[in-house]
Amino acid sequence: MLPIVDIHGHYTASRPDSETDFRRLVDSPEVCRIVVCALALELEETAPGSFMDGSTNEQLAALIAKIDSPKLVPFCYIDPREDDAPKQL
C-alpha cells in the first residue's frame, strides 16, 4: 500500500459534506498527510447549479480543531493583492 500525501486540499465550509469527506480521508490508513487550505475567493460557476464560495482561515482552523488529527496540516489563505497581505501572513 502506497502512502498518500495530498499537498493541496481545499476546505469549503458551505459544502455540507466537507467535514465528512475530510474525516473519511484522515480515517484512511493510506493517507499520511493532507495539507488543507481555506479558499477565500469567490469562484465562477464550474458546473450548472454549483458554486464554490470557499471558506475563511477561521473556518479552516475550526475544522482542524474539530477533527483533531495530525494528518491534517492547515495552510492559511492570503490574497497577495491585499495591502496588508504580509501582516496577515
Side-chain angles (χ1 to χ4, degrees):
M1 192 170 13
L2 290 174
I4 298 170
V5 177
D6 180 347
I7 60 167
H8 195 86
H10 288 282
Y11 172 55
T12 305
S14 64
R15 194 173 150 275
D17 294 332
S18 282
E19 182 182 334
T20 302
D21 291 342
F22 278 101
R23 284 189 185 278
R24 181 177 46 82
L25 287 172
V26 299
D27 288 343
S28 173
E30 296 89 2
V31 175
C32 295
R33 296 283 186 276
I34 307 165
V35 178
V36 187
C37 69
L39 184 60
L41 293 175
E42 289 188 6
L43 302 176
E44 295 178 6
E45 279 193 274
T46 56
S50 75
F51 186 81
M52 286 181 52
D53 63 349
S55 59
T56 65
N57 291 321
E58 292 78 14
Q59 289 170 314
L60 175 60
L63 173 79
I64 298 294
K66 192 172 188 179
I67 293 181
D68 191 29
S69 170
K71 291 183 177 183
L72 292 179
V73 180
F75 194 83
C76 67
Y77 169 81
I78 304 294
D79 186 340
R81 299 169 295 180
E82 293 181 10
D83 292 336
D84 68 339
K87 183 177 179 182
Q88 290 181 51
L89 186 59

